[in-house]
Amino acid sequence: MDESQLYEELARHLNQGIVAAPMSPALLEIIKILFPREDAEIAIRLPMQNKTLFELRAIFPERADTLEEDLERMVKRGTVFKIQSPGKENKYRLLPSVVGWAETPFWAGKDTEEARKLAPLWLKYREEAFGQELARGGMPVMRVLPISKTLRDSREVLPFDALKPKVEEQSFIAVAHCPCRQMKRYVGEGCEHSIENCLHFGSMGRYMVEQGMAREITKEETLDILRKANEEGLVHAVDNVEDRIGTICNCCGCCCVFLQTKKRMGLHTISPSSYTARVDSDRCVACGTCEERCPMGAITLGNKDVAEVDEERCIGCGVCTPTCPGEAVDLVKRAEVKPPPDISRFMKLRYKGIWDETPLKR
């Protein structure tokens, strides 16, 4: 198989899952960097479901003697996931784009030649195809979690919007560096927001720590990171699935792929929270702080004496609330609350099977 055919076949294989990888010229350049030829030859046949080495040797009989070594190499490169359970055989699977090989070169926060090559390609890929992928099926993969000093209707705070209990129930927590802000920095468009606040839980967090991509932290450290992120004006975003949390992103409006794509391309790439910002006109001193902090440009002041909120643009993150000197802005429940879907509905709308035959546009 020649190189061109190999990578086009790999691209089609990767174009499946919850977050797939639709074909585009930028994608082909990305996977050529991430999957050297020998790795690509393995990846085109590697399942995206956890398999033991015994099961995988049946798929790769010609590599029976070297398969474990090959897989461990790909684990270290960040293209294959490995799960280790005490007393059980190791299992492997091909990682998807997100959460997966889109982020693995950046999580450790190291300035590498590979990361610098990938950064502009990912920004190009977002424009070519990946932005639409994040919004596919009308079902975003991420959802905003609101944080505020006091929700005005706090007695009715919905359970899926309570952040602290979600953290306290986790058995393993890891923190890594934000891939989005690093990508932007590498192309000279970065911001000054802090960068080590990409949170992952459970088996993915363990994998990241084991491969040197993240460090393990306590629940107290996690809550401190979240408090500082909110003070800094970062948006908390989690998996858009009921009763599930695998990731908490702390996003800025200038770099985040979800927020940026929503603003630039008008795509439904992240679900808003069940709340919206509301300004108390009697308390507002027209300082403009909330306007400056809003990541979506949903609050405006202009020449008026009171800040105004565009509820259609507001994602209900709450970053406008902690620095309001008059405590004039807070979150209130939306008129229409749309809770996150259960896992079966989410999978029905998001899961993409193998071999989408969309032709490559050059």
Side-chain angles (χ1 to χ4, degrees):
M1 187 184 299
D2 65 33
E3 183 174 284
S4 177
Q5 183 181 1
L6 172 65
Y7 284 101
E8 289 197 19
E9 185 171 338
L10 175 57
R12 286 191 287 270
H13 182 56
L14 293 169
N15 192 26
Q16 59 178 314
I18 300 300
V19 184
M23 184 75 84
S24 90
L27 173 67
L28 292 176
E29 293 303 310
I30 289 169
I31 62 177
K32 285 176 183 177
I33 295 171
L34 293 173
F35 296 88
R37 184 179 179 95
E38 185 177 6
D39 291 3
E41 290 171 346
I42 295 170
I44 58 173
R45 295 158 58 193
L46 195 62
M48 289 190 175
Q49 298 79 34
N50 292 331
K51 300 289 183 182
T52 65
L53 193 60
F54 176 80
E55 292 171 318
L56 290 172
R57 283 186 174 127
I59 299 174
F60 298 93
E62 77 285 2
R63 292 180 176 270
D65 294 337
T66 64
L67 186 58
E68 184 173 14
E69 180 182 339
D70 293 335
L71 292 172
E72 289 293 335
R73 179 182 67 248
M74 296 174 74
V75 167
K76 288 181 172 58
R77 282 192 60 81
T79 54
V80 166
F81 177 78
K82 176 184 177 181
I83 185 167
Q84 298 172 295
S85 301
K88 295 184 179 180
E89 199 174 347
N90 292 338
K91 292 185 177 181
Y92 302 86
R93 63 176 165 85
L94 185 64
L95 278 167
S97 56
V98 174
V99 176
W101 42 264
E103 298 115 321
T104 51
F106 301 96
W107 275 332
K110 297 177 181 178
D111 187 346
T112 65
E113 182 180 356
E114 181 177 271
R116 287 188 172 271
K117 286 180 179 178
L118 288 166
L121 289 171
W122 270 109
L123 297 177
K124 182 181 178 184
Y125 186 38
R126 179 181 67 185
E127 302 294 322
E128 289 180 355
F130 199 60
Q132 290 87 344
E133 170 59 25
L134 294 175
R136 178 171 49 79
M139 180 59 67
V141 294
M142 300 297 285
R143 179 182 181 86
V144 174
L145 273 180
I147 295 295
S148 178
K149 287 183 178 178
T150 57
L151 291 170
R152 288 186 182 162
D153 51 359
S154 58
R155 288 174 298 175
E156 300 180 37
V157 172
L158 302 180
F160 50 79
D161 284 328
L163 184 55
K164 187 176 179 181
K166 291 179 181 290
V167 170
E168 292 178 337
E169 68 187 18
Q170 301 302 316
S171 61
F172 191 94
I173 308 173
V175 63
H177 296 75
C178 173
C180 294
R181 286 194 277 282
Q182 289 180 86
M183 289 180 193
K184 284 286 192 171
R185 288 182 183 183
Y186 292 150
V187 299
E189 300 175 10
C191 63
E192 296 303 316
H193 286 297
S194 57
I195 197 166
E196 194 188 18
N197 44 29
C198 187
L199 301 167
H200 294 266
F201 306 94
S203 59
M204 178 55 72
R206 289 182 186 278
Y207 162 82
M208 293 165 65
V209 171
E210 288 164 359
Q211 303 312 317
M213 301 171 188
R215 61 186 179 90
E216 183 180 2
I217 57 174
T218 65
K219 295 171 185 178
E220 290 73 22
E221 288 174 300
T222 304
L223 292 170
D224 188 51
I225 287 171
L226 292 169
R227 279 191 291 269
K228 289 178 179 177
N230 182 246
E231 292 169 1
E232 197 175 317
L234 300 178
V235 177
H236 307 314
V238 299
D239 314 66
N240 190 27
V241 179
E242 185 180 40
D243 297 326
R244 182 183 185 278
I245 179 170
T247 298
I248 300 180
C249 293
N250 291 289
C251 310
C252 59
C254 43
C255 301
C256 171
V257 63
F258 300 104
L259 300 182
Q260 272 271 296
T261 305
K262 185 177 179 67
K263 288 196 295 185
R264 286 169 50 87
M265 303 174 70
L267 296 171
H268 186 39
T269 52
I270 187 167
S271 287
S273 81
S274 302
Y275 299 87
T276 184
R278 188 73 54 81
V279 177
D280 184 334
S281 58
D282 293 331
R283 293 187 174 192
C284 182
V285 297
C287 66
T289 303
C290 57
E291 181 180 28
E292 292 176 5
R293 283 172 64 87
C294 180
M296 301 304 293
I299 304 180
T300 55
L301 188 64
N303 297 320
K304 299 179 182 179
D305 294 330
V306 177
E308 295 183 349
V309 178
D310 181 343
E311 293 191 11
E312 290 296 315
R313 294 180 65 88
C314 177
I315 57 175
C317 59
V319 301
C320 54
T321 67
T323 53
C324 178
E327 296 187 348
V329 61
D330 210 336
L331 298 180
V332 297
K333 193 184 295 184
R334 295 180 186 271
E336 182 182 3
V337 172
K338 295 182 179 179
D342 61 29
I343 188 64
S344 60
R345 175 168 169 74
F346 180 81
M347 291 290 288
K348 181 178 180 181
L349 292 174
R350 283 296 319 184
Y351 185 78
K352 188 175 187 180
I354 195 169
W355 296 106
D356 179 357
E357 294 296 344
T358 304
L360 176 62
K361 296 179 181 179
R362 298 190 184 276

PDB file of all heavy atoms in Angstrom, residues 9 12 32 143 214 226:
ATOM      1  N   GLU A   9      -6.751   5.739   4.130  1.00  0.00           N
ATOM      2  CA  GLU A   9      -7.470   4.638   4.760  1.00  0.00           C
ATOM      3  C   GLU A   9      -7.479   4.823   6.282  1.00  0.00           C
ATOM      4  O   GLU A   9      -8.496   4.576   6.940  1.00  0.00           O
ATOM      5  CB  GLU A   9      -6.818   3.305   4.398  1.00  0.00           C
ATOM      6  CG  GLU A   9      -7.587   2.101   4.916  1.00  0.00           C
ATOM      7  CD  GLU A   9      -7.061   0.789   4.365  1.00  0.00           C
ATOM      8  OE1 GLU A   9      -6.416   0.804   3.293  1.00  0.00           O
ATOM      9  OE2 GLU A   9      -7.305  -0.253   5.007  1.00  0.00           O
ATOM     10  N   ARG A  12     -10.060   7.426   7.251  1.00  0.00           N
ATOM     11  CA  ARG A  12     -11.422   6.889   7.243  1.00  0.00           C
ATOM     12  C   ARG A  12     -11.674   6.014   8.486  1.00  0.00           C
ATOM     13  O   ARG A  12     -12.767   6.007   9.039  1.00  0.00           O
ATOM     14  CB  ARG A  12     -11.673   6.103   5.958  1.00  0.00           C
ATOM     15  CG  ARG A  12     -11.848   7.010   4.735  1.00  0.00           C
ATOM     16  CD  ARG A  12     -12.353   6.216   3.537  1.00  0.00           C
ATOM     17  NE  ARG A  12     -11.311   5.355   2.986  1.00  0.00           N
ATOM     18  CZ  ARG A  12     -10.459   5.731   2.036  1.00  0.00           C
ATOM     19  NH1 ARG A  12     -10.510   6.954   1.533  1.00  0.00           N
ATOM     20  NH2 ARG A  12      -9.553   4.894   1.581  1.00  0.00           N
ATOM     21  N   LYS A  32      -0.184  12.174   9.606  1.00  0.00           N
ATOM     22  CA  LYS A  32       1.155  11.791   9.154  1.00  0.00           C
ATOM     23  C   LYS A  32       2.193  12.101  10.217  1.00  0.00           C
ATOM     24  O   LYS A  32       3.205  11.401  10.349  1.00  0.00           O
ATOM     25  CB  LYS A  32       1.499  12.519   7.856  1.00  0.00           C
ATOM     26  CG  LYS A  32       0.786  11.963   6.630  1.00  0.00           C
ATOM     27  CD  LYS A  32       1.102  12.782   5.388  1.00  0.00           C
ATOM     28  CE  LYS A  32       0.332  12.259   4.180  1.00  0.00           C
ATOM     29  NZ  LYS A  32       0.573  13.093   2.959  1.00  0.00           N
ATOM     30  N   ARG A 143     -20.644  20.699  27.766  1.00  0.00           N
ATOM     31  CA  ARG A 143     -21.702  21.527  28.325  1.00  0.00           C
ATOM     32  C   ARG A 143     -21.107  22.475  29.361  1.00  0.00           C
ATOM     33  O   ARG A 143     -20.225  22.099  30.128  1.00  0.00           O
ATOM     34  CB  ARG A 143     -22.769  20.644  28.973  1.00  0.00           C
ATOM     35  CG  ARG A 143     -23.916  21.417  29.616  1.00  0.00           C
ATOM     36  CD  ARG A 143     -24.904  20.458  30.289  1.00  0.00           C
ATOM     37  NE  ARG A 143     -26.010  21.190  30.892  1.00  0.00           N
ATOM     38  CZ  ARG A 143     -27.115  21.549  30.242  1.00  0.00           C
ATOM     39  NH1 ARG A 143     -27.262  21.219  28.966  1.00  0.00           N
ATOM     40  NH2 ARG A 143     -28.069  22.229  30.851  1.00  0.00           N
ATOM     41  N   ALA A 214       0.338  14.334  32.481  1.00  0.00           N
ATOM     42  CA  ALA A 214      -0.385  15.073  33.512  1.00  0.00           C
ATOM     43  C   ALA A 214       0.170  14.680  34.866  1.00  0.00           C
ATOM     44  O   ALA A 214       1.024  13.800  34.977  1.00  0.00           O
ATOM     45  CB  ALA A 214      -1.885  14.746  33.435  1.00  0.00           C
ATOM     46  N   LEU A 226     -10.390  25.175  40.196  1.00  0.00           N
ATOM     47  CA  LEU A 226     -11.669  25.642  39.669  1.00  0.00           C
ATOM     48  C   LEU A 226     -12.015  27.027  40.195  1.00  0.00           C
ATOM     49  O   LEU A 226     -12.528  27.874  39.443  1.00  0.00           O
ATOM     50  CB  LEU A 226     -12.772  24.638  40.009  1.00  0.00           C
ATOM     51  CG  LEU A 226     -12.660  23.290  39.293  1.00  0.00           C
ATOM     52  CD1 LEU A 226     -13.637  22.287  39.892  1.00  0.00           C
ATOM     53  CD2 LEU A 226     -12.910  23.441  37.800  1.00  0.00           C
TER      54      LEU A 226
END
